[in-house]
Amino acid sequence: MNEPTLSTRYDPTEVEERWYQKWQSAGLFQPEHRPSERRYCITIPPPNVTGSLHMGHALCYTIQDILGRWKRMQGFETLVLPGTDHAGIATQKVVESQLREEGLTRHDLGREKFVERVWQWKEESGGMILKQFKRLGFAFDWSRERFTMDPHYHDAVLRVFIDWYERGLIYRGKRVINWDPGLRTSVSDIEVSDEVRTGKLYHIRYPFVDGEGYIVVATTRPETMLADVAVAVHPSDKRYRGMAGRRVHLPLTGRTIPVIEDEYPDPEFGSGAVKITPAHDANDFEVGVRMGLDFNDPEQVPVCIDEEARVVAPGTPYHGLDRFEARKHIVTDLEAKGLLERIEEHEIAFKIADRSGEVVEPLLSEQWFCSMSSLAAPAIQAVKDGRIRFTPSRYADVYLEWMENIRDWCLSRQLWWGHRIPIYYTEDGTAFAAMSEKEARENAGGAAVTQDPDVLDTWFSSALWPFATLGWPHYTEDLQRFYPTDVLVTARDIIYLWVARMIMGGLDQMKEIPFRDVYVYATVLTEDGKRMSKSLGTGVDPLEYINRFGADAMRFSLLVQTGMNQEIRFGERPIQEARNFCNKIWNAARFALMHIGHRQVEAPPRSALAIEDCWILDRLNETIEMVSSALERYHMMDATKRLYDFFWSEFCDWYIEASKRRLDGAMADVPRWVLATCLDRFCRLMHPFMPHITEEVWHRLPGVGSDQFLDYSDWPSPVEDWVDAEARKTFATLQEVVRAARNLRQEFGINPKEMLPTLFTQGLVAGSEDLVASLARFERIAAGVPSTPHISAVALGVDLHLPVEGLIDVQAEAKRLSAQLEKRRRELHQLSERLANPMFLERAKPEVVAADRAAAEQLRSEVRRLEERLEQLQ
RNA sequence: GGGCGAAUAGCUCAGCGGUAGAGCGCCUCCCUUACAAGGAGGAUGUCGGGGGUUCGAUUCCCUCUUCGCCCACCA
């Protein structure tokens, strides 16, 4: 019938691209755009240069974009500095797998060529994620983009290393570390995860040398027995009293080893006797230290597993076998010799390397370590005394707990991609720390030097991010202006890995905290609560959603789920909802703009405002307050929900509908001004969250120049004049009255579009008749009770009577009224009971009692009217 | 073994001392010239179980159950 209308749907793609280009070419993202003494800075967590956008990123960086835009609107000179992390292991893996396809390994290329190749990869394909960031609309200062291996950044890393080395914090030592046999590198304690799987616990007999019998030890890794040096028992364990000092045969080898006493074994567990393998277990290492072993002597501390996780046992059939393969043979052989007492099922916490998924092999290895306790002390203090605040605050405890029990950090990685450790050795092994080989040679008196082959843990350079990105070690203008930064927004899984280390690094080198706030946001899970992961096939691509629904919708849907909760379950529904919201904004704006036209309207005097004008301004004012305060507290959910409710429920459903009756009349300028004002303030408040659509709408308002931008418009402040508790109360009643009227119509099966002649009311506030008539679709409101047949309702003290033609179905009407009556009687009963309780009257707050009394009074009156009405029906 | 978090409408989640809220879904009506990705009206909950504190508990305390996460050297 009707002509198909032109699309009333909002098309985000075109709008979003257009505005992003404009913002960039106008230089809005650079702090220089508007200098100020008040400054705000975020150095964003650098994503891995190999990374591509996932939901966690989308959320994390959207939050930062919001904070940056919000602060800009508040007049701060704002820098949000982007960059990427060289991500040692991840990046090396990418290039190695490329080489593998060419049938090469990195060793075929050699170190120098390989590193060159990685750089080449980085220049060509790295940092894709930053391009994806632009699609989300992030207002980051791309002119200051940093990379953790930029030349000056590299200098910063070396400076810190050398400083700590010279202060004796960094040392080289032989320890049992976590070895990742897949990547063939060490990894730190916090880069491995426990995974409990059912495994086997093998009980093995170690026969005594000097007589009958044997001692039983239990192990989950029988292959390590080849490097056992002792069997330990607890001194208090009566079963083994007097056995210390005796020797046992180490099965499958020709060696004998002593039984020793040590505090380490738990008498409750297994047999109470533990085999000690100092080279392949961190605990056993400690026992070995207590035994006074020389870890450089392979006779004293044998090694039986190499860096590729193969067994090293020359002269045995196990030599060269993979660790798991060797295990099978060893078990078989033990069994054949009658030395295997039993095997039992056992829950074992396997240590899995996060990066490769391989089972970590504890290995005795010489590595660089950083002693942490002296670095940790000031970092603990900074959180304890509140100079750094965590949000949610409970994460401060998580941080402190870890920091107070911090262990030394294994810094070295056996990789080629990364910051190579700036230690050089002369032929005799003397070590020199130096910024370059040249400097090292000079320090060594001209002797030839070779550099340590290892690189630093990637997190070492990440720890310097907040100041190294700003120019340190040079005291640049940026560094002076923007350090300390304001907030770190991060996921909780890198509190130890990164947050703690930045705090330590910043306090140590800058003598100042790196940021004031740490905001920890929720983990984004799949709809059914699973971890989002590419390898599990549960990951979803935010870009796909952005293309379908728009960046603004993508952003909003994440934020509206971001409270102080720990996790977000992300499905398609919320983003559809956000897309619908964009559409609603678009259409409401179209309506408003159609009526506002191109003319700017002066603010009308307060006396010219109608009840709905006062009401919506009051709501707007509250929205300004709530959104501002939610942002202060990082409560994204509160802010976005309030904006959603204000716009959709209050502005569209009520104000726009209420405004319609006046928009054609003589007083049209009043609602025009209110519409424009609401739209303007809404665009500003919503802009940080949905930057594109708000900019698009705002620019259509009269008086907004094409060279103006929301980012540099003012963040709205509450307007005292708009606060109107009276209007709030009155309008709430009117809303109830309108609902009751609409309900009456619907109950009686009247078409919603049909205009009815008269609605009779009693107790309606004077002056609101036109409003109620218009919203409930009546031509007029009359006071009193109609003499003709009618149906009735009560709403907050207002009686409504709807005349109906023909006979009333008395029974149906009585039933309807009775239901209303019943509901109110029930409520009244509860209230009366409470008000009859002297303890309540005595102890409850007076305003609560007063409110209850008023409510009871109203209910009593409504009950009376409904009873009367029912009687009349009979 | 310690610690933290969660349990509220069919689903996803807010609220957190004064008689339960939203969105989606559901039922009824409506293409009323901003919007059907929409409008109007409606139904829906022993707020995980059990104790306690309180005039009053979904909200505070204790305890139990079930999930999730983190930390820890139990072979």
Side-chain angles (χ1 to χ4, degrees):
Chain A
M1 295 278 222
N2 286 0
E3 293 218 352
T5 46
L6 280 176
S7 176
T8 54
R9 295 185 179 185
Y10 169 66
D11 171 26
T13 318
E14 184 273 330
V15 172
E16 290 177 352
E17 273 170 25
R18 177 159 43 82
W19 281 112
Y20 199 79
Q21 277 173 16
K22 281 196 190 178
W23 295 332
Q24 269 198 290
S25 53
L28 301 190
F29 305 162
Q30 273 119 273
E32 288 77 13
H33 192 80
R34 183 176 62 193
S36 165
E37 288 302 306
R38 300 155 72 215
R39 300 198 178 89
Y40 189 81
C41 180
I42 302 175
T43 54
I44 70 158
N48 285 356
V49 68
T50 54
S52 63
L53 191 69
H54 63 241
M55 281 299 167
H57 293 124
L59 175 58
C60 173
Y61 297 102
T62 295
I63 292 168
Q64 296 174 75
D65 186 47
I66 287 164
L67 296 171
R69 287 180 184 270
W70 171 52
K71 285 295 166 180
R72 237 173 246 132
M73 292 178 76
Q74 287 187 325
F76 285 79
E77 182 178 318
T78 299
L79 171 61
V80 182
L81 184 146
T84 45
D85 193 295
H86 68 279
I89 293 174
T91 313
Q92 178 156 333
K93 264 172 81 176
V94 168
V95 176
E96 280 189 309
S97 75
Q98 279 186 351
L99 288 175
R100 206 173 308 121
E101 277 172 30
E102 299 165 27
L104 297 170
T105 69
R106 64 176 153 133
H107 299 282
D108 295 328
L109 267 69
R111 182 164 190 151
E112 201 172 318
K113 284 267 182 288
F114 178 78
V115 171
E116 244 171 60
R117 174 90 186 233
V118 182
W119 271 109
Q120 189 191 335
W121 177 89
K122 187 258 169 188
E123 297 305 333
E124 285 167 11
S125 328
M128 174 132 64
I129 190 167
L130 296 182
K131 293 186 191 84
Q132 298 174 320
F133 279 1
K134 296 179 184 176
R135 187 65 188 85
L136 269 162
F138 297 155
F140 298 165
D141 184 356
W142 303 110
S143 71
R144 282 176 168 85
E145 185 185 326
R146 297 285 183 267
F147 179 55
T148 53
M149 278 176 57
D150 286 341
H152 101 268
Y153 201 110
H154 180 65
D155 285 351
V157 169
L158 299 192
R159 286 277 292 249
V160 175
F161 183 96
I162 292 168
D163 179 43
W164 287 356
Y165 177 76
E166 284 171 352
R167 283 157 62 193
L169 295 174
I170 289 178
Y171 61 92
R172 198 162 149 82
K174 220 168 190 183
R175 297 278 184 86
V176 170
I177 47 83
N178 303 303
W179 185 263
D180 180 334
L183 299 162
R184 283 196 232 161
T185 179
S186 55
V187 289
S188 72
D189 290 334
I190 45 184
E191 288 168 294
V192 301
S193 320
D194 289 341
E195 203 175 298
V196 177
R197 298 179 192 163
T198 302
K200 291 191 171 74
L201 186 61
Y202 303 86
H203 297 257
I204 303 169
R205 295 170 179 162
Y206 284 17
F208 286 112
V209 171
D210 58 359
E212 289 293 295
Y214 47 79
I215 193 163
V216 174
V217 298
T219 180
T220 53
R221 296 184 300 149
E223 65 279 9
T224 62
M225 68 184 289
L226 300 171
D228 282 357
V229 302
V231 170
V233 296
H234 196 274
S236 71
D237 196 330
K238 294 193 185 84
R239 291 170 295 180
Y240 299 108
R241 182 144 301 161
M243 288 198 186
R246 291 178 70 180
R247 296 188 77 83
V248 291
H249 283 288
L250 180 59
L252 310 179
T253 72
R255 296 166 40 222
T256 67
I257 53 174
V259 177
I260 60 159
E261 283 183 348
D262 193 274
E263 296 288 328
Y264 164 58
D266 174 5
E268 301 293 309
F269 187 88
S271 63
V274 186
K275 62 192 251 348
I276 300 300
T277 324
H280 298 292
D281 183 282
N283 292 309
D284 294 7
F285 175 86
E286 298 297 329
V287 177
V289 170
R290 289 195 285 272
M291 288 170 71
L293 299 177
D294 176 359
F295 284 83
N296 290 316
D297 179 357
E299 295 290 314
Q300 290 192 38
V301 183
V303 167
C304 71
I305 294 172
D306 71 8
E307 296 181 347
E308 288 170 56
R310 283 183 316 219
V311 167
V312 184
T316 73
Y318 320 113
H319 185 66
L321 293 179
D322 173 77
R323 54 183 162 166
F324 299 126
E325 193 60 29
R327 179 180 301 174
K328 285 184 207 156
H329 286 90
I330 286 170
V331 170
T332 311
D333 292 350
L334 284 170
E335 193 158 28
K337 292 186 186 229
L339 294 174
L340 188 64
E341 175 129 330
R342 67 195 153 97
I343 303 175
E344 62 185 357
E345 296 276 297
H346 189 62
E347 295 289 298
I348 302 171
F350 285 87
K351 283 187 178 272
I352 309 295
D354 290 340
R355 281 286 167 199
S356 68
E358 292 266 346
V359 175
V360 161
E361 194 61 39
L363 222 60
L364 183 66
S365 172
E366 186 148 42
Q367 301 285 344
W368 288 96
F369 293 90
C370 184
S371 160
M372 300 308 286
S373 47
S374 66
L375 292 170
I380 289 169
Q381 198 49 42
V383 170
K384 277 194 169 161
D385 64 22
R387 274 178 295 148
I388 296 177
R389 298 178 301 249
F390 278 78
T391 305
S393 58
R394 60 176 179 273
Y395 289 109
D397 295 332
V398 173
Y399 165 91
L400 288 171
E401 167 69 21
W402 188 74
M403 290 291 276
E404 279 164 358
N405 299 295
I406 197 162
R407 291 188 285 165
D408 286 0
W409 176 10
C410 176
L411 289 178
S412 42
R413 294 294 121 90
Q414 288 64 52
L415 303 172
W416 286 352
W417 175 244
H419 296 284
R420 192 161 169 182
I421 288 175
I423 297 288
Y424 299 81
Y425 306 95
T426 53
E427 239 171 42
D428 64 0
T430 315
F432 294 91
M435 293 295 289
S436 65
E437 188 176 343
K438 185 164 162 277
E439 191 187 306
R441 211 178 312 121
E442 284 165 12
N443 293 350
V449 291
T450 47
Q451 187 172 4
D452 194 290
D454 289 352
V455 300
L456 286 166
D457 179 3
T458 301
W459 295 104
F460 188 92
S461 51
S462 316
L464 320 181
W465 186 251
F467 52 91
T469 50
L470 294 172
W472 190 90
H474 303 293
Y475 279 79
T476 59
E477 205 166 305
D478 273 4
L479 188 63
Q480 289 169 50
R481 278 169 187 254
F482 294 112
Y483 193 92
T485 71
D486 288 89
V487 61
L488 176 79
V489 178
T490 189
R492 64 177 177 277
D493 53 349
I494 53 175
I495 290 176
Y496 310 136
L497 225 38
W498 191 44
V499 179
R501 286 165 179 171
M502 275 192 288
I503 297 175
M504 290 187 275
L507 283 167
D508 186 70
Q509 295 297 316
M510 297 292 297
K511 307 295 168 219
E512 174 68 280
I513 54 169
F515 30 71
R516 305 192 191 291
D517 277 333
V518 178
Y519 170 53
V520 181
Y521 64 86
T523 310
V524 185
L525 301 177
T526 63
E527 205 163 9
D528 46 2
K530 294 202 181 76
R531 200 171 273 280
M532 276 197 182
S533 140
K534 267 186 212 158
S535 51
L536 293 176
T538 50
V540 291
D541 184 2
L543 287 174
E544 191 193 314
Y545 284 111
I546 294 168
N547 291 333
R548 285 170 60 203
F549 301 107
D552 287 338
M554 177 79 252
R555 295 165 61 118
F556 193 85
S557 70
L558 284 166
L559 297 167
V560 82
Q561 300 180 77
T562 299
M564 291 295 114
N565 49 344
Q566 253 195 126
E567 49 192 50
I568 293 174
R569 295 187 176 200
F570 193 87
E572 196 168 310
R573 276 193 300 271
I575 191 166
Q576 279 171 358
E577 201 180 302
R579 184 267 321 262
N580 294 354
F581 185 38
C582 289
N583 208 233
K584 188 75 178 176
I585 293 170
W586 183 245
N587 281 298
R590 277 177 53 226
F591 172 85
L593 292 164
M594 195 170 80
H595 286 94
I596 294 165
H598 298 293
R599 195 165 48 89
Q600 269 194 83
V601 181
E602 288 292 304
R606 187 89 195 153
S607 59
L609 299 183
I611 172 76
E612 62 268 32
D613 301 324
C614 297
W615 173 76
I616 197 67
L617 292 172
D618 178 75
R619 303 327 297 143
L620 175 58
N621 189 68
E622 190 184 287
T623 306
I624 293 169
E625 281 174 349
M626 286 178 70
V627 173
S628 304
S629 108
L631 280 171
E632 299 284 356
R633 294 172 291 119
Y634 302 106
H635 280 56
M636 298 297 151
M637 181 191 274
D638 290 1
T640 45
K641 282 201 160 160
R642 179 60 203 150
L643 284 163
Y644 185 93
D645 283 345
F646 168 75
F647 196 82
W648 203 314
S649 310
E650 295 174 343
F651 183 62
C652 292
D653 290 350
W654 289 97
Y655 185 75
I656 286 189
E657 292 309 318
S659 74
K660 283 178 177 172
R661 76 202 157 91
R662 290 183 298 160
L663 281 168
D664 296 324
M667 295 300 286
D669 273 358
V670 175
R672 274 187 200 135
W673 176 80
V674 176
L675 285 171
T677 302
C678 286
L679 213 48
D680 171 77
R681 300 304 190 280
F682 174 76
C683 283
R684 292 171 196 245
L685 293 170
M686 187 54 111
H687 182 251
F689 306 94
M690 303 210 291
H692 312 90
I693 191 174
T694 47
E695 192 86 85
E696 178 73 12
V697 167
W698 192 63
H699 275 259
R700 290 164 189 249
L701 284 167
V704 175
S706 60
D707 58 340
Q708 288 177 278
F709 294 97
L710 274 171
D711 260 5
Y712 289 89
S713 71
D714 290 338
W715 181 254
S717 306
V719 178
E720 212 173 300
D721 272 1
W722 290 351
V723 178
D724 193 339
E726 189 64 31
R728 210 178 305 150
K729 191 160 174 278
T730 309
F731 201 80
T733 307
L734 294 177
Q735 286 176 304
E736 272 317 300
V737 170
V738 170
R739 268 189 211 109
R742 287 168 173 168
N743 179 251
L744 275 181
R745 297 173 55 119
Q746 168 121 0
E747 287 285 339
F748 212 68
I750 296 164
N751 190 316
K753 74 180 172 187
E754 194 178 331
M755 188 64 85
L756 296 181
T758 313
L759 176 69
F760 289 82
T761 65
Q762 293 170 288
L764 186 62
V765 60
S768 58
E769 293 85 356
D770 285 358
L771 180 66
V772 172
S774 146
L775 291 173
R777 305 215 117 232
F778 285 91
E779 277 169 18
R780 61 189 269 276
I781 303 291
V785 186
S787 50
T788 53
H790 58 277
I791 56 176
S792 306
V794 295
L796 296 180
V798 178
D799 294 2
L800 303 154
H801 310 289
L802 173 62
V804 290
E805 288 179 24
L807 286 175
I808 291 175
D809 180 343
V810 174
Q811 285 218 318
E813 177 66 357
K815 200 175 157 199
R816 203 175 60 77
L817 289 171
S818 299
Q820 290 188 13
L821 180 59
E822 210 31 62
K823 193 175 159 219
R824 282 169 176 78
R825 275 185 176 151
R826 226 177 306 129
E827 284 171 20
L828 181 58
H829 179 73
Q830 275 180 19
L831 270 183
S832 310
E833 226 165 46
R834 191 184 313 164
L835 286 163
N837 180 352
M839 293 302 267
F840 172 70
L841 298 176
E842 190 184 317
R843 303 207 179 168
K845 277 174 272 176
E847 59 268 31
V848 172
V849 178
D852 278 1
R853 284 211 166 107
E857 196 43 54
Q858 176 135 344
L859 280 169
R860 248 189 294 277
S861 137
E862 290 183 354
V863 163
R864 211 178 308 121
R865 286 149 193 260
L866 284 165
E867 283 169 347
E868 281 169 20
R869 182 69 198 136
L870 266 169
E871 262 170 45
Q872 287 166 17
L873 270 179
Q874 303 308 319

